Amino acid sequence: MNDTLDIFPAAKLAPYAGPAAWRAADVAHSQQWIRQLGPEERAGIIELGQWLEALGATAADVAGLPRRNPGALRELRPLLNEARTALQSGLGFVLMRGFPIDAMSPAATRLAYLALGSLLGQAMPQNRQGELLHDVRDTGADRRDPNVRLSRTNAEQDFHTDAADIIGLLCLQKARSGGISRIVSSVSVYQEVLAARPDLAPLLFQTWYFHMKGEQAPGALPYFKLPIVRDIEAQLSTFFIGWYLRDAERLPGVPPLSSAQRELLDLYEQVANRPALGLAMQFEPGDVQWLKNSVILHKRSAYEDWPEPGRKRHLLRLWLAAEDFKDGIVALRHGHAAAAAAAAALGPGAGRGP
């Protein structure tokens, strides 16, 4: 424990401040985080999607459009600039409502959504196959398989982060029941853990082992190493996936979790699930949830799907890198497999921004 205390920022015994340290009472009855798309914005998105589809654009083409043509998508930039400010220096989350999925083909919908996301950040591969857009739906995969990612099942996902600066989720279809999204400020979770167990909180700054879920490159290690939290320019940055941490200790070369680490993981998840901290959202078709990964934990309840294939729950996920987000993790800005290779060499003081 003494080594842990040596790397623990003593100044962080005091609470972090700022909009990202919100609690349920601060946001539950507010509309500041909801952005209803207007008729002109919807029309612009429809025109954009249909144009990209007619051009035969690929996902890679769309992802690189803002860099190749800075004047592109001019009409939609104010909408995304507003969202980006809320993510970067505000609460850390935005819910857009009214994305016109009912007025476009599935292909045009995907392209228009990716184009919007590309105004927030650079789209990153989410798996070894290089997917820039990931379909979140139940494929019948076995939750008990340690290499199965829970986004391919209908099982509950407890609070966690993803491997990006910004996460986008577009709802195409909602479940018959369940599938509720909940988010919580990881800054507030940390402060509650610190207040309850100042003896355990320093462990969050140590290096932890995360399971790669079979996404490692050929010949690479099946795990990567990162701290759960780090202090980056006086901001708290979090990367947490509890079941990746617990599954990793079954891998060769990974030390078993200590009793203190197990106690801390249990406490961290218990705190994150406190109703007084989190906010629940029931996605409707056309909703887009944007999250800043470093300050927001998200979860999904288990769900029951419709029997008809066309009605089954279906979300489209984006992972976006935003290099000007100073509290982001540099190693996670290169795509899923590349991030793991880079992160494997990181120590507890690494990844302190661009």
Side-chain angles (χ1 to χ4, degrees), residues 132-145:
L132 298 180
L133 273 173
H134 178 66
D135 294 278
V136 179
R137 55 190 170 188
D138 181 16
T139 64
D142 186 353
R143 161 67 179 91
R144 296 166 296 180
D145 184 338

Side-chain angles (χ1 to χ4, degrees), residues 3-240:
D3 290 341
T4 306
L5 292 174
D6 288 341
I7 64 169
F8 185 61
K12 298 312 151 192
L13 291 170
Y16 285 82
W22 56 267
R23 295 165 182 263
D26 302 323
V27 297
H29 302 292
S30 169
Q31 299 293 303
Q32 65 173 305
W33 48 274
I34 300 176
R35 178 60 158 81
Q36 182 70 47
L37 299 182
E40 292 185 0
E41 291 164 338
R42 286 172 53 87
I45 292 170
I46 294 168
E47 182 180 359
L48 171 63
Q50 293 174 342
W51 173 66
L52 291 170
E53 183 180 27
L55 284 178
T58 65
D61 294 333
V62 176
L65 184 60
R67 293 194 313 281
R68 293 196 308 271
N69 184 355
L73 315 177
R74 183 178 295 106
E75 296 81 1
L76 295 170
R77 286 180 182 270
L79 169 68
L80 276 298
N81 287 342
E82 177 187 327
R84 206 172 194 279
T85 297
L87 294 172
Q88 185 173 20
S89 56
L91 295 172
F93 68 96
V94 174
L95 182 67
M96 287 184 180
R97 310 210 97 144
F99 191 94
I101 62 173
D102 54 345
M104 292 183 285
S105 70
T109 296
R110 297 173 77 94
L111 292 170
Y113 170 51
L114 179 54
L116 284 192
S118 296
L119 293 177
L120 292 175
Q122 176 62 42
M124 300 191 310
Q126 299 181 46
N127 50 36
R128 287 177 60 187
Q129 290 70 45
E131 282 187 327
L132 298 180
L133 273 173
H134 178 66
D135 294 278
V136 179
R137 55 190 170 188
D138 181 16
T139 64
D142 186 353
R143 161 67 179 91
R144 296 166 296 180
D145 184 338
N147 286 326
V148 164
R149 297 168 74 176
L150 291 184
S151 61
R152 297 171 53 208
T153 76
N154 65 349
E156 179 183 42
Q157 293 178 308
D158 207 347
F159 279 109
H160 64 285
T161 58
D162 283 6
D165 289 313
I166 300 171
I167 308 151
L169 289 171
L170 167 61
C171 178
L172 301 177
Q173 295 283 352
K174 65 178 183 178
R176 181 175 184 175
S177 63
I180 305 297
S181 171
R182 287 188 62 84
I183 62 172
V184 68
S185 163
S186 53
V187 182
S188 294
V189 171
Y190 168 76
Q191 291 177 170
E192 289 288 312
V193 171
L194 177 61
R197 293 297 303 271
D199 58 321
L200 291 179
L203 293 174
L204 294 167
F205 288 83
Q206 285 188 330
T207 299
W208 294 68
Y209 290 77
F210 293 80
H211 201 293
M212 272 296 297
K213 298 297 175 181
E215 291 288 340
Q216 67 272 17
L221 294 171
Y223 59 83
F224 63 98
K225 298 182 288 183
L226 280 176
I228 293 174
V229 300
R230 54 175 59 73
D231 182 272
I232 302 176
E233 298 190 16
Q235 297 183 75
L236 189 76
S237 177
T238 299
F239 181 79
F240 179 79

